[in-house]
Amino acid sequence: MVQDSKRMRPNILVTGTPGTGKTTTSAALAESTQFRHISIGDLVREKNLHDGWDDELECHIINEDLVCDELEDVMEQGGNIVDYHGCDFFPERWFDRVVVLQTDNSVLYDRLSKRGYTGAKLTNNIECEIFQVLLEEAKESYPENIVVALKSDTIEDITRNVTTLTDWVRSWQPTPQ
């Protein structure tokens, strides 16, 4: 396993296409486990960890090096739930579980439309989900035994996912040195 043996609590990455319920799931899981919820989007905005604005996709262009530098110490401590729609730039050693939330395309379309997504931003995100881009990215970036895909279409799915992940946290043990 990739666990950092100094950590007494695991770190979890919750990833998935925008609109799959990452923030909702992460916040509920943080409450259930008393872990720290780190929203990368919020962190980037609050600490200016970006290289400007992408007009076409209507989002900040994050500076991955600055984000990793900002998080290094807190990730070493453990007990973190990181919420972001990408996963391939974080150091592999940071995470003990990588959760990829997946949502039915029609549900996702409705969620993103309600957020005001249109044009390329809407199309790109729907295509990302259709082709399971983030699941493949997670499987390529982390050991397959720590990557888990969870359905996230309904409140019941989210509740079940939080329960499953809380149980996993409670059973997690640090790797002996």
Side-chain angles (χ1 to χ4, degrees):
M1 193 155 260
V2 183
Q3 297 169 161
D4 181 338
S5 55
K6 293 181 271 186
R7 284 201 311 263
M8 297 310 294
R9 298 184 304 165
N11 289 321
I12 300 170
L13 173 61
V14 179
T15 189
T17 305
T20 55
K22 294 178 301 299
T23 300
T24 302
T25 300
S26 296
L29 183 58
E31 185 175 316
S32 174
T33 59
Q34 299 302 297
F35 279 20
R36 181 184 302 110
H37 173 205
I38 302 168
S39 166
I40 297 299
D42 291 347
L43 184 72
V44 166
R45 281 186 295 278
E46 290 164 9
K47 305 250 181 176
N48 270 341
L49 306 176
H50 60 82
D51 295 325
W53 184 258
D54 183 319
D55 287 326
E56 182 184 358
L57 296 178
E58 301 170 26
C59 63
H60 285 105
I61 302 164
I62 75 163
N63 183 312
E64 296 171 352
D65 293 332
L66 291 178
V67 170
C68 289
D69 290 347
E70 181 70 26
L71 291 176
E72 184 67 46
D73 291 342
V74 77
M75 295 306 291
E76 258 183 49
Q77 297 167 17
N80 299 293
I81 299 163
V82 175
D83 154 8
Y84 190 58
H85 61 262
C87 69
D88 60 348
F89 71 90
F90 298 115
E92 180 183 321
R93 64 185 155 72
W94 278 4
F95 298 106
D96 305 289
R97 178 64 87 206
V98 176
V99 177
V100 182
L101 296 179
Q102 296 183 308
T103 301
D104 179 83
N105 298 326
S106 60
V107 173
L108 185 62
Y109 183 90
D110 291 345
R111 288 179 187 171
L112 294 178
S113 294
K114 284 179 187 166
R115 288 185 181 184
Y117 282 39
T118 58
K121 188 171 187 174
L122 178 61
T123 303
N124 288 348
N125 283 300
I126 296 294
E127 287 176 355
C128 212
E129 189 68 7
I130 289 170
F131 295 113
Q132 298 188 355
V133 170
L134 291 167
L135 179 59
E136 290 308 311
E137 182 179 291
K139 287 180 176 179
E140 290 171 9
S141 301
Y142 300 94
E144 212 162 322
N145 65 322
I146 73 165
V147 176
V148 59
L150 297 175
K151 180 180 165 192
S152 184
D153 290 343
T154 65
I155 293 296
E156 292 79 17
D157 291 338
I158 292 169
T159 301
R160 184 174 43 255
N161 293 342
V162 169
T163 299
T164 299
L165 292 167
T166 299
D167 291 345
W168 177 84
V169 165
R170 289 184 180 139
S171 68
W172 183 85
Q173 296 292 318
T175 303
Q177 288 191 357

